[in-house]
Amino acid sequence: MLHLHNIEKSFGAKKVLDEVNLHIKPKEKVALIGSNGCGKTTLLKIIMGEMEPDAGEIIYTSSIRTAYLSQIVTVLPGNTLFEEMKRALPDLLEMERRLQFLEEEMGRWAENPELLQHLMDEYTTLHENFDHQQGNDLGWKIDRIIQGLGFSLSDKEKYVNEFSGGWQMRIELAKLLLQEMDLLLLDEPTNHLDLKAVEWLEDYLSDYPGGVLIVSHDRFFLNSVTKKTIHLDKGKLQTYSGNYDFFVAQREADRERQEQLYMTQQKKLEKDLRFIERFRAKATLATRVKSREKLLEKMEMVEAPEKDGKSISVSFDSDQKEITTVFGLNNLSKEYPGKTVPLLGELEIMGDERIALVGENGCGKTTLIRILAGNDRDYEGKLKVHFNAKIRYYAQNQAEQLNEEHTVLQAMEEAAPAGTPTVRLRTILGAFLFVADDVFKSVGVLSGGEKSRLALARMVCRSSNVLLLDEPTNHLDIRSRDALADSLDDYEGTVIIISHDRYFIDQVCSRVIELSDGKLVSYPGNYSYFREKKKQQSSSSSDSSPRKKNGKKLWVYEPSAAEKLEKQTLNLEDQVASAERRLAEVEKAMEDPANMADENKMQELVQEYTNSKEDLEIKILAWEEKSLELEELRLQQIN
């Protein structure tokens, strides 16, 4: 379907594409991966003909139809959503207009048999062509796609300029899917999508009848959709016959194999060179020395395995103050002009927890995280924040708020505590890949990815024990996302994250809080656990007990016995952890010299220590009994 032969492209002295070869077969689902700035978008533009290569050849199968999703919005403000969707199929739209015109003309010329017959013949031929191109199915196709991407059917009559920029990008994606091209080129298609829409798109593209070439930093998405991975690195393209996880495993195996071959050859070279140097002057071994020298000259050298490009190296400075309960939430809500955002439910967020906040776009996730951060104090309901909480908040548009007149170093100085040594700031910037003269670049010339890295670097300047991160992985490549996940895993504090990167959530979070229909619901586990629970709830809802409201039956999900036991066990586990922390606090107080010098205070602490220890033992016993009960029930279900 598509073949690239020895494609080359340079920008100045930098060679972005170096003898690139690529073949995409019909219906293939292919991932194009590589670090930010390696040339992926350049390659897509060359394939689409938007950019000319310096050398090489692009060969298409005859009549292949391609479409490219860039990050540029092209919607017409005067169109409704439905009209804009139909604009994606101009030929079909023109046929529809012509058919309507012919219908009107046939009514006008009913008294002229000769002209009427001519109109009817054209109408019949055109209608057959319209049916052949499934024109009559256009309405339900549009409904299916826009609903899958998160629009409601009532949105069809809204003008496209009434939607935000993110929703307009969804419209661009919807139009492209409607066209049903032979080859789709998708550059970051999951940007601006919530998790529900991303999962719908996965299913849609997996069953898509044409070929797809995808650039994405979403590992879950690539694993679900693609069956072939091409890796662009230092201008070279390497093909792997599997999804992203296959690529990672295969690349590591190739690197280990290359390392082994390299080391084996190096040992042989060292041995041969020692032999040559030792016996070069010995006449009796001259022939053997010459022979080895000739073999070395002809030997094809094995190259040392290349290391992956640099990724960020993050280390958040955590404040060591221990906190039992960081936040206590009780039925919050926020009023906006013409809209109320309910955040209903009673929740506690404990110290050291790793929480993912999930829900559809517009449900109130950012509103909630702004309230927790203290950036929005105009709300209803009750919120308790621990007095020792030292909060750092990364806003979704954090990178856009940087002063573009500042240099990178000045941006850091602005965010850091007064008097922070420059060497400390440059060390942090180096960890985020701003090295040497990079720190003197103007913020205004940085790419989106560089601005995101700088915004994260500014957070590292100050210590904290609570991190609130709203889409921190935007513009970061996969390796940088992994590095960020590792740093959050090492962070000694509470982390609450909004992200549409499910792999990232799985790496970091052990609890998911879903915001749905204005209610906050907690799930003890990572995103995969949450997703499985949602599937179970969906499948078992039809088996739940019917209840009535206003005379109508409602199906309400009833937790199973195992789920109830699991919830009780996890609650007891939290109580044990809380009791352990309290006991540790008392032990620490007993070791304080000031308390040791105060006899009355020590007596109080000794008594409190005894009580805390007994309380811990009781909670551990209750937890062990409930855990055993849960395990026995699971064994019964298996058998």
Side-chain angles (χ1 to χ4, degrees), residues 568-635:
Q568 293 168 7
T569 305
L570 289 167
N571 183 45
L572 287 169
E573 190 174 315
D574 288 340
Q575 291 180 32
V576 169
S578 179
E580 285 175 337
R581 284 193 291 268
R582 181 56 193 152
L583 186 62
E585 289 172 0
V586 176
E587 287 177 336
K588 190 174 181 180
M590 291 173 68
E591 294 170 359
D592 189 330
N595 292 333
M596 294 173 70
D598 186 337
E599 185 176 346
N600 292 332
K601 182 64 175 177
M602 281 302 294
Q603 286 180 353
E604 291 177 8
L605 288 171
V606 168
Q607 184 59 49
E608 189 173 357
Y609 176 83
T610 302
N611 294 340
S612 297
K613 193 171 182 180
E614 289 176 357
D615 181 55
L616 175 60
E617 290 171 352
I618 291 170
K619 284 181 167 58
I620 289 175
L621 181 61
W623 172 76
E624 288 176 343
E625 289 176 350
K626 195 63 67 175
S627 297
L628 182 61
E629 188 178 345
L630 177 61
E631 188 64 30
E632 288 175 349
L633 181 59
R634 284 172 171 167
L635 287 172

Side-chain angles (χ1 to χ4, degrees), residues 301-315:
M301 301 303 294
V302 176
E303 293 184 2
E306 291 186 359
K307 294 182 179 179
D308 282 329
K310 292 181 179 179
S311 64
I312 62 175
S313 175
V314 193
S315 180

Side-chain angles (χ1 to χ4, degrees), residues 429-564:
L429 286 171
F432 283 85
L433 308 184
F434 295 102
V435 297
D437 290 342
D438 289 344
V439 302
F440 302 117
K441 282 183 178 180
S442 170
V443 171
V445 304
L446 300 180
S447 67
E450 288 172 327
K451 286 180 179 177
S452 293
R453 285 193 269 117
L454 177 56
L456 283 169
R458 283 161 54 96
M459 289 193 68
V460 176
C461 288
R462 294 177 178 269
S463 63
S464 65
N465 50 31
V466 181
L467 292 177
L468 306 177
L469 308 176
D470 192 350
E471 297 291 358
T473 61
N474 280 358
H475 305 294
L476 296 183
D477 59 32
I478 292 176
R479 295 186 67 248
S480 293
R481 293 182 185 205
D482 289 344
L484 178 59
D486 290 341
S487 70
L488 292 175
D489 192 48
D490 293 335
Y491 177 71
E492 296 179 0
T494 304
V495 180
I496 302 177
I497 299 170
I498 298 173
S499 177
H500 65 267
D501 186 330
R502 293 154 296 169
Y503 186 83
F504 180 75
I505 293 174
D506 263 357
Q507 283 179 294
V508 176
C509 299
S510 55
R511 181 182 175 191
V512 173
I513 295 177
E514 182 190 27
L515 180 51
S516 177
D517 297 326
K519 296 178 182 178
L520 295 164
V521 183
S522 180
Y523 294 82
N526 61 10
Y527 184 80
S528 295
Y529 174 88
F530 159 75
R531 190 178 183 184
E532 188 60 33
K533 282 295 179 185
K534 295 293 288 184
K535 285 181 180 178
Q536 289 176 11
Q537 291 173 12
S538 177
S539 62
S540 63
S541 61
S542 58
D543 300 325
S544 304
S545 304
R547 297 180 183 176
K548 290 188 177 182
K549 183 178 179 181
N550 298 329
K552 296 180 180 180
K553 280 189 177 181
L554 296 176
W555 293 97
V556 182
Y557 174 71
E558 293 288 347
S560 66
E563 287 175 319
K564 290 177 181 178

Side-chain angles (χ1 to χ4, degrees), residues 59-312:
I59 304 170
Y60 290 100
T61 303
S62 59
S63 75
I64 180 177
R65 299 176 306 132
T66 62
Y68 172 45
L69 177 71
S70 67
Q71 297 300 311
I72 299 173
V73 174
T74 63
V75 297
L76 290 181
N79 280 348
T80 64
L81 172 58
F82 187 66
E83 290 169 342
E84 184 65 23
M85 289 295 294
K86 292 171 71 173
R87 192 169 73 90
L89 300 171
D91 292 344
L92 207 59
L93 186 58
E94 183 56 38
M95 271 192 251
E96 188 177 55
R97 289 170 179 163
R98 182 64 181 171
L99 286 171
Q100 291 173 352
F101 172 78
L102 290 173
E103 287 175 357
E104 293 171 1
E105 288 297 290
M106 285 187 292
R108 286 180 57 199
W109 300 101
E111 303 300 323
N112 187 332
E114 185 177 347
L115 181 56
L116 179 63
Q117 186 61 49
H118 176 74
L119 291 170
M120 289 177 64
D121 290 343
E122 183 185 353
Y123 182 87
T124 301
T125 302
L126 189 61
H127 202 283
E128 287 176 356
N129 192 17
F130 188 75
D131 287 343
H132 179 71
Q133 296 188 39
Q134 299 180 321
N136 291 318
D137 297 333
L138 183 59
W140 76 261
K141 283 183 178 180
I142 290 175
D143 290 352
R144 176 196 175 196
I145 291 171
I146 64 172
Q147 286 185 97
L149 292 178
F151 295 93
S152 65
L153 290 180
S154 61
D155 286 334
K156 288 196 297 184
E157 303 309 315
K158 287 177 63 175
Y159 290 104
V160 292
N161 55 291
E162 296 179 39
F163 295 100
S164 67
W167 283 94
Q168 288 183 9
M169 280 306 306
R170 291 198 195 201
I171 296 173
E172 295 292 349
L173 176 59
K175 286 158 55 180
L176 186 131
L177 297 178
L178 183 64
Q179 293 173 28
E180 296 186 349
M181 295 294 191
D182 300 304
L183 177 62
L184 295 181
L185 308 179
L186 305 179
D187 194 353
E188 295 292 355
T190 61
N191 281 0
H192 312 292
L193 299 185
D194 54 37
L195 292 173
K196 184 178 180 181
V198 170
E199 289 173 357
W200 176 87
L201 183 61
E202 283 176 0
D203 293 338
Y204 188 92
L205 292 178
S206 296
D207 296 333
Y208 187 73
V212 186
L213 178 60
I214 302 171
V215 173
S216 176
H217 296 314
D218 188 328
R219 183 181 281 189
F220 259 46
F221 185 76
L222 294 178
N223 280 334
S224 298
V225 177
T226 64
K227 300 294 183 289
K228 178 177 174 181
T229 302
I230 51 178
H231 181 226
L232 183 58
D233 183 41
K234 297 176 182 176
K236 298 291 187 181
L237 207 61
Q238 181 71 38
T239 301
Y240 296 82
S241 56
N243 63 12
Y244 185 85
D245 281 351
F246 176 87
F247 153 76
V248 171
Q250 189 63 49
R251 185 167 168 79
E252 185 58 31
D254 290 346
R255 183 181 285 108
E256 289 177 0
R257 192 180 304 110
Q258 183 77 1
E259 177 77 23
Q260 191 173 31
L261 290 171
Y262 175 75
M263 294 304 296
T264 300
Q265 188 182 66
Q266 289 299 305
K267 287 178 182 178
K268 186 179 186 314
L269 281 171
E270 185 180 353
K271 181 179 177 182
D272 287 345
L273 288 171
R274 278 203 312 266
F275 178 87
I276 291 168
E277 288 300 318
R278 185 176 179 184
F279 299 111
R280 187 186 299 278
K282 199 171 182 68
T284 56
L285 294 175
T287 303
R288 290 178 64 184
V289 168
K290 285 287 184 185
S291 175
R292 291 208 182 188
E293 285 179 333
K294 288 180 180 179
L295 285 173
L296 288 180
E297 289 173 3
K298 294 177 180 179
M299 182 182 290
E300 186 176 342
M301 301 303 294
V302 176
E303 293 184 2
E306 291 186 359
K307 294 182 179 179
D308 282 329
K310 292 181 179 179
S311 64
I312 62 175

Side-chain angles (χ1 to χ4, degrees), residues 370-466:
R370 282 179 51 82
I371 290 173
L372 296 181
N375 284 33
D376 193 339
R377 301 183 184 276
D378 184 20
Y379 60 87
E380 299 294 327
K382 294 182 180 179
L383 172 65
K384 292 182 180 179
V385 182
H386 197 282
F387 65 91
N388 273 334
K390 190 178 287 187
I391 299 170
R392 294 287 171 263
Y393 170 47
Y394 181 92
Q396 190 173 16
N397 62 344
Q398 195 87 21
E400 299 169 13
Q401 297 174 0
L402 296 169
N403 188 332
E404 299 206 341
E405 300 298 321
H406 281 176
T407 65
V408 170
L409 184 57
Q410 287 172 334
M412 287 292 287
E413 290 170 342
E414 179 187 43
T420 303
T422 300
V423 67
R424 161 73 175 156
L425 299 180
R426 295 200 64 165
T427 299
I428 295 172
L429 286 171
F432 283 85
L433 308 184
F434 295 102
V435 297
D437 290 342
D438 289 344
V439 302
F440 302 117
K441 282 183 178 180
S442 170
V443 171
V445 304
L446 300 180
S447 67
E450 288 172 327
K451 286 180 179 177
S452 293
R453 285 193 269 117
L454 177 56
L456 283 169
R458 283 161 54 96
M459 289 193 68
V460 176
C461 288
R462 294 177 178 269
S463 63
S464 65
N465 50 31
V466 181

